[in-house]
Amino acid sequence: MSTTEDIERPYDGCGKCLVGLRRLSRASDASSSPAKQRDQVLEVVRAYGGHVIAWADDWEVSGATDPKTRPRLGPWLRGERGPYNGVAGASVDRLGRNVVDCLNTGYMMRDQGLTLLTYGHDGPWDLDDPNDENRFTMEAWGAQMELRSIQRRNRESAAKARRDGKIKHKPSYGYRYERDLPTGTVSRAVLDDGATLPSPWDKEDAAEIIHNVARRILADQTGEITENTEAARLTREGRLSPEDRKRVLYGREPKLSRWQGASLARILMSKAALGYLMHKGEPVLDEATGKPIRIGPELWNYATHRALVKKLTPKNKRRIRSANNAYLLTKRIVCGNCHHRMYVARGRNKNAWACRSKFYGLTDCAPAPTIRMEEVDGLVGCWFLEEFGDGMIMETVYVPGNGVSDLVEEVEVARARLRSDREAGLYDSADDQEWFRSRYAALGRELEGLRQQPETAGGMVRRATGKTIEDAWHEAADDAGRREILSGFDVVISVWPEGSPRRWHAGRMHGPDRNSEHAITREYLPALGSVESHVAA
């Protein structure tokens, strides 16, 4: 009798080298567990007289996914993993739960001379045989019907949960769910401070991370801190991306994927940050009150939400692209001859800044200057700290207003919706009429109370941090963080060719930037002297 070692061995060209196929929509599904599928695959391979050269294990992959696009099986079917003679699975529904996808995959394997085995079927599937073709189609059709039934039950369950104000979706970034009983349903959302995450991720406070991102974007007035630059910064710092954090929250290993600017913008602009129960990007409304159902505390108030939406909504005009790399002088260094930006020239051992204007046909700059990146970074750092290091940092912070006008608008919308429902004949019975009158009157009283409250507008507030610019320079995580400080002072470095009267010059394009997060206090400005006159030999 063949042992497991005999059945699992590398490709040897025997003509029966098979790839083991396993798939689960949920890795915890006991009815089709990985171990059970493995035993079934090995049994059918043993009966065929073949052996398994590799396993294509697609966990957490829906049966509705086309087999050719699945993470593990797809590369084999597309011919990207080397030679093999066929695929063996526990059943047809492990191949997929879509009739068209299953048939297309089966016919493709038949046309390529590949073997298809499944547990419970005697020998390989022969789709040229009408009986085998009909049986394969029926099993695929049964799997599809089961999928449709599962999807219908899930939709009905989710719709009922929304009507009851219960949570069915996964938490938005910055939140985690809590249960009253370990095996009970989710009862509430709380701010995710990382306390429930395993080490080393327990040090990450997701609520604080997203708070800091929102603060930095709202406080920026240079246009150089955007959702894309923040996504790049969080990736460089090794913060778990939203998808990876969900994986860790649910006990799975992270894939260490990159943060995406578009995903970060959706998180910041979503009303889920207000603690609302969400469906298709909008809050779920309470049928009784017409207001959004709240399931947890808010990350920020409605006024901050509106400010973030205004800041992050794409404008019609072309948006300035911000630098995402970690170089200190990106967009901060220009050619002293032609005044065009200098670009990175990558060397075998060292990178340098070089003028490319002649190469791009912009000017006839000659000789075009170059300077080693490591050399100029050190010079600029020393110059900047010597000139500005003792200055105190004034932090610019967005302080949200009380959002009274936004609350008034929300209550007016709820009252208009209630009135529209009444006009449509939804509250014609005697009991419904009484409820409508009481609820409409309550909304009117709430609206009147809000209108009597004074409106406090949000805006930028500047305050001392107690830190010097030198402190901030040394505390920056990398050169990209230090570049933000240079950007706040509008520092520009000019470089000339070797042999010129001066090699480089550091200056500021527009003088002191009092709107910058890193601006110098008014008391310190007189001591600076003329920065424009500084020349480094």
Side-chain angles (χ1 to χ4, degrees), residues 166-368:
K166 296 181 180 179
I167 304 170
K168 290 290 287 185
H169 54 75
K170 292 182 179 179
S172 177
Y173 187 83
Y175 289 94
R176 61 179 173 85
Y177 290 153
E178 285 189 346
R179 294 171 169 82
D180 292 328
L181 297 174
T183 58
T185 58
V186 174
S187 55
R188 60 192 164 273
V190 298
L191 297 182
D192 183 10
D193 58 1
T196 62
L197 295 182
S199 180
W201 315 113
D202 55 340
K203 304 295 190 299
E204 283 201 6
D205 188 333
E208 179 58 31
I209 289 172
I210 200 67
H211 259 296
N212 186 46
V213 171
R215 181 192 67 81
R216 286 168 54 83
I217 288 178
L218 288 175
D220 173 62
Q221 297 186 24
T222 66
E224 296 196 8
I225 298 181
T226 67
E227 65 272 24
N228 295 318
T229 60
E230 286 298 281
R233 178 181 66 83
L234 294 173
T235 299
R236 290 195 304 269
E237 293 178 358
R239 304 295 188 183
L240 285 174
S241 68
E243 287 304 316
D244 276 340
R245 194 171 187 91
K246 287 178 184 178
R247 294 182 66 85
V248 174
L249 279 172
Y250 287 95
R252 299 192 294 273
E253 288 295 320
K255 296 181 179 179
L256 302 181
S257 57
R258 297 173 59 86
W259 282 76
Q260 301 296 327
S263 174
L264 183 58
R266 284 194 295 270
I267 294 171
L268 292 168
M269 292 192 292
S270 173
K271 290 184 179 179
L274 302 177
Y276 293 153
L277 179 67
M278 303 293 291
H279 176 60
K280 293 184 177 180
E282 291 295 331
V284 177
L285 302 179
D286 189 332
E287 293 183 357
T289 64
K291 290 186 174 182
I293 297 174
R294 188 178 294 277
I295 59 174
E298 58 186 21
L299 280 166
W300 43 71
N301 64 11
Y302 196 73
T304 304
H305 164 74
R306 293 288 289 267
L308 285 168
V309 171
K310 182 179 180 180
K311 186 88 172 184
L312 294 171
T313 298
K315 310 297 188 298
N316 293 329
K317 62 182 180 180
R318 183 176 177 270
R319 190 169 186 175
I320 298 174
R321 182 178 177 183
S322 301
N324 287 338
N325 60 53
Y327 300 132
L328 177 65
L329 298 179
T330 301
K331 292 189 175 183
R332 300 278 118 203
I333 185 167
V334 299
C335 173
N337 292 336
C338 64
H339 308 295
H340 283 90
R341 279 178 54 192
M342 299 180 73
Y343 294 87
V344 177
R346 302 185 187 280
R348 181 172 299 177
N349 299 319
K350 301 288 185 180
N351 290 338
W353 291 103
C355 177
R356 298 285 184 85
S357 60
K358 184 175 181 179
F359 175 79
Y360 292 136
L362 299 176
T363 63
D364 189 20
C365 182

Side-chain angles (χ1 to χ4, degrees), residues 387-388 391 508 512 514 520-531:
E387 292 291 336
F388 303 106
R508 300 174 72 185
R514 299 178 185 273
I520 304 172
T521 59
R522 187 180 301 273
E523 292 76 12
Y524 185 71
L525 282 173
L528 288 178
S530 175
V531 180

Side-chain angles (χ1 to χ4, degrees), residues 1 8 35 50 60 67 76 79 153 177 183 194 218 232 250 299 324 336 349 419 422 468 502 521:
M1 184 174 181
E8 296 183 72
E60 306 291 332
W76 286 101
R153 289 197 301 269
Y177 290 153
T183 58
L218 288 175
Y250 287 95
L299 280 166
N324 287 338
N349 299 319
R419 185 168 56 245
R422 173 62 184 273
T468 65
R502 53 181 177 180
T521 59

Side-chain angles (χ1 to χ4, degrees), residues 38-238:
R38 174 185 171 86
D39 292 341
Q40 291 173 338
V41 170
L42 292 178
E43 183 174 339
V44 70
V45 170
R46 183 183 294 110
Y48 177 61
H51 63 99
V52 176
I53 64 171
W55 291 92
D57 295 335
D58 287 310
W59 310 133
E60 306 291 332
V61 176
S62 169
T65 306
D66 187 341
K68 293 191 290 295
T69 64
R70 294 207 325 229
R72 298 299 179 87
L73 178 61
W76 286 101
L77 297 178
R78 297 192 301 267
E80 300 171 359
R81 290 292 175 84
Y84 71 109
N85 301 121
V87 171
S91 59
V92 174
D93 64 3
R94 297 304 94 187
L95 184 65
R97 290 185 179 274
N98 182 285
V99 174
V100 174
D101 290 342
C102 285
L103 288 175
N104 286 341
T105 303
Y107 289 139
M108 180 198 70
M109 295 182 66
R110 177 200 63 183
D111 296 341
Q112 294 179 2
L114 298 174
T115 300
L116 177 59
L117 297 171
T118 60
Y119 180 78
H121 180 268
D122 294 333
W125 287 94
D126 182 7
L127 297 185
D128 288 328
D129 179 13
N131 292 328
D132 252 15
E133 184 182 41
N134 289 336
R135 178 177 171 183
F136 185 82
T137 303
M138 291 300 294
E139 290 196 17
W141 180 78
Q144 178 171 298
M145 293 299 292
E146 184 178 1
L147 174 65
R148 297 294 183 265
S149 178
I150 293 171
Q151 292 173 335
R152 184 179 64 257
R153 289 197 301 269
N154 288 341
R155 287 195 299 269
E156 292 173 350
S157 175
K160 184 179 185 303
R162 287 195 299 274
R163 290 194 299 270
D164 297 340
K166 296 181 180 179
I167 304 170
K168 290 290 287 185
H169 54 75
K170 292 182 179 179
S172 177
Y173 187 83
Y175 289 94
R176 61 179 173 85
Y177 290 153
E178 285 189 346
R179 294 171 169 82
D180 292 328
L181 297 174
T183 58
T185 58
V186 174
S187 55
R188 60 192 164 273
V190 298
L191 297 182
D192 183 10
D193 58 1
T196 62
L197 295 182
S199 180
W201 315 113
D202 55 340
K203 304 295 190 299
E204 283 201 6
D205 188 333
E208 179 58 31
I209 289 172
I210 200 67
H211 259 296
N212 186 46
V213 171
R215 181 192 67 81
R216 286 168 54 83
I217 288 178
L218 288 175
D220 173 62
Q221 297 186 24
T222 66
E224 296 196 8
I225 298 181
T226 67
E227 65 272 24
N228 295 318
T229 60
E230 286 298 281
R233 178 181 66 83
L234 294 173
T235 299
R236 290 195 304 269
E237 293 178 358

Side-chain angles (χ1 to χ4, degrees), residues 413-453:
V413 169
R415 193 169 67 161
R417 187 184 301 110
L418 195 65
R419 185 168 56 245
S420 176
D421 290 343
R422 173 62 184 273
E423 292 172 353
L426 297 183
Y427 305 108
D428 287 342
S429 66
D431 293 340
D432 287 343
Q433 288 178 10
E434 181 59 32
W435 179 90
F436 171 81
R437 293 190 185 96
S438 63
R439 183 61 204 145
Y440 196 84
L443 288 174
R445 290 191 296 271
E446 182 178 359
L447 190 60
E448 185 63 27
L450 288 172
R451 285 171 173 166
Q452 292 178 359
Q453 294 183 23

